[in-house]
Amino acid sequence: MIHQKFIFETPASITIQQHILQDQQRFPGASGEFSFLLSAITLATKKIQAKVRSAGLIDILGAHGVENVQGEIQQKLDVYANEAMIHCLASRPSVGVLASEENEQPLVMPHLSPSAKYAVVFDPLDGSSNIDVNVSVGTTFSIFRRPDGADFEDPNAWVLQPGNKQISAGYVVYGSSTVMVYTVGNGVHGFTLDPNVGAYVLSHENMKMPEQGSCYSVNEAYANNFPPEYGAFIQSLRDGALGHSYKSRYIGSLVADFHRTLLRGGIFMYPPNKTHSEGKLRLLYEANPIAMIAEQAGGRATDSNQRILDIKPTGVHQRCPLIVGSKLEMEAFEKLCQ
Ligand code: P6P
């Protein structure tokens, strides 16, 4: 009996939907609501990437003119990306509250479904100031379970939870390809969008951050205002204190700078500076999802005093210093800070 040779010699592609459903099987009796929620995020990011990819061709570049809650001029793609995330997530009855970098207050979903059990926090298009110069940008997201007793009167209660309460977190980096990286707390997996079929396909299974890298990433223009431990640490890297020399890479787009750190190892830092005494990055929708991914991949993330994931938020848009990276560099930095 001659076995039929398979047409496709390569292993079968697993799409993110299949992967989520496989993961769901670990929880007998799972309702599938969470998987359906994640599919809203994958759909929204496919819409966003389509606009990002054609930004130069259609009238979507440039500022939208309105100032957002951060006091930043909203780029048109920011507005589109925010609408896409809200539209896709609002159609999921399991989602009760949304918080976005682009909205001053959290949004209560109009369905007010008593069965809503999740809140989603996101930055629809992080690094958007880079859009007009064709530098990679990204979407970040963080998913919380509705706290016991939380109702729709107090949406802040749904989202002002420490990062260690995230049930899922991730990002999409719109770079040379569109890659979605996410975790549900049992490892980190990456999926590359196959434009031919419009599906995210598993490309980086069980991602692990190298224990040491050869690159540090910080905006050295602010070095004169860094707290002393940051400058001393960077100098130690330059002096080969960790066993080899380091190169510097800084894109100015958090998701892109972190994605490189996840893949290659090393350390990313956004310290306090003259303009931002608490650092520029936001805890809820930048530091928290990045920190969960980093820790799930074997790395670490602190604000120089404590784990990012242990910080109890007091405001949706609060900022924090972010130091995230490989075990060895992070241990060396933390030792310096003591
Ligand atoms: P700076 C983009 O505006 C962003 O919020 C992050 O994506 C990025 O890491 C940071 O700001 C860059 O800030 O001050 O170095 O330009």
Side-chain angles (χ1 to χ4, degrees), residues 126-127 129 219 222 250 252-254 268 270 280-282 286:
D126 181 80
S129 51
N219 188 335
Y222 310 138
Y250 191 73
S253 190
L254 172 65
F268 170 89
Y270 202 106
K280 175 184 182 186
L281 301 178
R282 280 61 58 103
E286 287 175 317

Side-chain angles (χ1 to χ4, degrees), residues 72 101 123 125-130 136-138 218-222 250-258 268-270 273 275-276 280-282 286 319 322:
E72 295 159 349
E101 192 249 8
D123 185 351
L125 208 58
D126 181 80
S128 51
S129 51
N130 292 303
S136 299
V137 291
V218 66
N219 188 335
E220 299 194 66
Y222 310 138
Y250 191 73
I251 302 168
S253 190
L254 172 65
V255 173
D257 276 320
F258 175 73
F268 170 89
M269 299 185 282
Y270 202 106
N273 62 37
T275 323
H276 297 106
K280 175 184 182 186
L281 301 178
R282 280 61 58 103
E286 287 175 317
R319 301 176 191 267
L322 174 62

